[in-house]
Amino acid sequence: MKHVSIGGLDVSRIGLGAMSMAGYYNIGAGSDAESIRTIHRALELGVTHIDTAEIYGPYSNEELVGRAIKDRRDQVVLATKFGLVSHSGGGPRVLDSSPANVRVAVEGSLKRLGTDHIDLYYQHRVDPNTPIEETVGAVAELVAEGKVRHIGLSEAGPGTIRRAHAVHPITALQTEYSLWARDAEAELLPLLRGLGIGFVPYSPLGHGFLTGEIRSPEQLSDDDWRKTNPRFTGENFQRNLRIVDEVQAIAAEGGATPAQIALAWLLAQGDDIAPIPGTKRVTRVEENTAADSIELSAEQVERLNNLTPAAGERHEEAVMNLIER
């Protein structure tokens, strides 16, 4: 597995997102044992970058990752996130990046992950009630104490990124980026490159859409949150299939899978980009990591670059309201 530098932090250029191991997507029967096997297989294949968050579960995903990397900690660049759980009584899905909450959150994450330090600690979503300078200042204190090695932001807008970076160097921004979520190209990517901040795309396979295996909304179970995602509903779904059709066509040319082509396109966007495709299946992590060896031709990259943008917002309104734009 090739490595890249994101803001000075060395990681495998394909990582592993652990969110689906906490029950998100409801993509069929799974188990903690299979999830742990998936993490172990990823490490065997050269993945070093594993991403989780306290809100996943909540809490249980960090515990699972902690069990999986026990006795393997030195192989892992461990990333987790705070700020979507208020520990002062608000609970899960309440924005709270106050310095006091950061202090409580980090201690919980360290305990659940079974480690004395977090390699990359992200603010999960920007808290409009706490100046970013105060939040980053609190995490910077954790860096000084050795509990955190690098600071990240997730779904932060350009102004917040600049202000945060002025307080303490920001190592990485995590935001959705893929062939069907390309908003970051206009302003965020140039800004990050100008500041020397790495980019960690989440959902690089469009929540599974870019795998080509979802051809109808009826394939999703009724309790799958994608049922209400604007890009998976109505006419938008049918329009977005055209993106998948082109990805599948290029995959057929090179004997690859659509997921591998979607990841290879992301990797071709720069050596400061480290996507974290999520899965809880050994077969999927094997498929995804194999994208590391795929080299798209200039003509194939151009075809993918020129795809019609995805139809519909990338999340429903309540979720989009938590994303700085």
Side-chain angles (χ1 to χ4, degrees):
M1 173 76 68
K2 300 182 188 72
H3 281 221
V4 296
S5 175
I6 52 171
L9 178 62
D10 180 86
V11 296
S12 56
R13 67 172 185 161
I14 297 176
L16 175 62
M19 186 180 79
S20 65
M21 298 176 186
Y24 287 81
Y25 296 107
N26 190 25
I27 50 176
S31 67
D32 283 359
E34 173 70 3
S35 293
I36 290 172
R37 283 194 295 272
T38 299
I39 292 172
H40 290 171
R41 182 61 177 143
L43 296 177
E44 290 170 4
L45 292 167
V47 171
T48 66
H49 184 194
I50 296 178
D51 182 272
T52 181
E54 65 172 357
I55 190 63
Y56 301 160
Y59 312 127
S60 60
N61 194 240
E62 286 185 325
E63 293 170 350
L64 184 148
V65 170
R67 294 197 301 273
I69 66 171
K70 188 179 181 180
D71 303 323
R72 294 171 168 84
R73 179 65 181 92
D74 60 353
Q75 296 177 245
V76 177
V77 174
L78 186 57
T80 192
K81 312 178 198 74
F82 69 89
L84 266 179
V85 179
S86 175
H87 296 281
S88 61
R93 306 213 168 274
V94 174
L95 292 173
D96 190 348
S97 286
S98 64
N101 200 62
V102 171
R103 281 279 173 185
V104 176
V106 74
E107 295 301 332
S109 290
L110 288 169
K111 182 177 180 180
R112 288 185 291 272
L113 292 164
T115 185
D116 63 356
H117 72 278
I118 295 163
D119 295 300
L120 179 53
Y121 201 35
Y122 290 97
Q123 181 192 41
H124 208 154
R125 293 291 185 270
V126 176
D127 176 7
N129 298 314
T130 304
I132 192 63
E133 292 83 358
E134 293 183 14
T135 299
V136 174
V139 185
E141 292 176 0
L142 300 177
V143 173
E145 294 166 18
K147 294 178 179 179
V148 169
R149 298 282 174 84
H150 298 266
I151 302 176
L153 301 174
S154 179
E155 292 288 15
T160 295
I161 294 168
R162 291 188 184 94
R163 289 165 54 201
H165 196 65
V167 175
H168 185 282
I170 300 301
T171 294
L173 176 75
Q174 185 172 141
T175 295
E176 185 173 358
Y177 182 41
S178 70
L179 280 169
W180 88 335
R182 296 178 60 180
D183 302 354
E185 293 174 348
E187 187 173 2
L188 281 180
L189 265 174
L191 172 64
L192 297 179
R193 285 172 172 156
L195 295 175
I197 299 172
F199 190 30
V200 177
Y202 74 81
S203 297
L205 300 178
H207 309 293
F209 201 97
L210 296 173
T211 66
E213 297 186 5
I214 305 171
R215 304 293 302 186
S216 165
E218 283 65 46
Q219 290 177 249
L220 304 175
S221 62
D222 289 341
D223 57 352
D224 189 316
W225 69 268
R226 291 173 291 185
K227 278 275 194 175
T228 60
N229 182 287
R231 295 188 177 179
F232 282 83
T233 57
E235 292 183 359
N236 288 344
F237 187 100
Q238 297 305 316
R239 283 198 287 267
N240 291 333
L241 284 176
R242 290 178 292 189
I243 297 174
V244 177
D245 291 342
E246 183 64 10
V247 175
Q248 286 181 313
I250 291 176
E253 293 171 4
T257 68
Q260 290 169 341
I261 295 301
L263 289 170
W265 175 83
L266 260 183
L267 298 177
Q269 303 311 302
D271 58 7
D272 53 356
I273 293 176
I276 47 170
T279 184
K280 56 182 178 180
R281 299 279 186 270
V282 169
T283 54
R284 289 299 188 203
V285 85
E286 291 173 340
E287 175 186 359
N288 292 342
T289 54
D292 180 55
S293 62
I294 294 175
E295 296 289 341
L296 298 172
S297 70
E299 184 266 341
Q300 289 172 328
V301 170
E302 187 67 12
R303 283 162 61 188
L304 293 169
N305 284 345
N306 291 330
L307 286 171
T308 302
E313 286 278 17
R314 54 189 175 100
H315 294 290
E316 61 262 40
E317 184 177 358
V319 178
M320 290 301 296
N321 286 339
L322 298 178
I323 294 172
E324 272 204 337
R325 287 173 284 176

